[in-house]
Amino acid sequence: MKTFLHISFLTLTFMAFSVGAAFAMDLTAAKSSGLVGEKPNGLIEATLPNPSPELSELIQTTNAGRLEVYKESAGKQGIPLKEVQAIAAQKLYDMANPGDFLFINGKWTKR
């Protein structure tokens, strides 16, 4: 089952990042500049209060695309959405680049 979930996650990851292809460079730039970080629910969030409208749109679009893929995966695998999100988050944390922000133990931590 874990192997199946791992393989499914690799497909899921590819699809989640493909969903917002137009935003891919912006997401990378936002992450590398510390404007957004990864949360333990597999979604991104602004690391500082009062993000710009452009950053808010990027976050909303990215999260909507990810949630769509997570829901589809949960339905196909017959597991709860929260479980898919937790698996995705762990993989995203594992793949984070040095300098990326991760939300760990209630605070933003720079990898």
Side-chain angles (χ1 to χ4, degrees):
M1 176 73 170
K2 286 200 180 236
T3 302
F4 175 73
L5 286 176
H6 181 72
I7 292 169
S8 296
F9 177 76
L10 294 176
T11 303
L12 171 73
T13 301
F14 177 74
M15 289 173 56
F17 289 113
S18 298
V19 168
F23 294 103
M25 292 302 291
D26 292 329
L27 178 58
T28 301
K31 286 173 98 175
S32 66
S33 60
L35 296 174
V36 299
E38 295 289 346
K39 299 267 308 202
N41 61 0
L43 303 177
I44 61 169
E45 186 175 296
T47 57
L48 299 172
N50 305 315
S52 70
E54 294 83 10
L55 185 59
S56 293
E57 182 179 347
L58 173 66
I59 291 167
Q60 181 182 11
T61 303
T62 301
N63 287 343
R66 286 184 180 189
L67 273 174
E68 183 179 321
V69 173
Y70 297 162
K71 287 176 184 176
E72 183 179 325
S73 181
K76 285 182 179 177
Q77 296 182 43
I79 60 175
L81 175 60
K82 287 187 185 267
E83 188 174 331
V84 172
Q85 287 182 265
I87 293 166
Q90 185 58 57
K91 296 297 181 180
L92 290 165
Y93 277 36
D94 291 345
M95 296 182 336
N97 293 318
D100 285 355
F101 280 89
L102 308 174
F103 200 75
I104 300 172
N105 296 325
K107 64 180 182 174
W108 290 111
T109 304
K110 197 173 195 177
R111 181 169 188 170

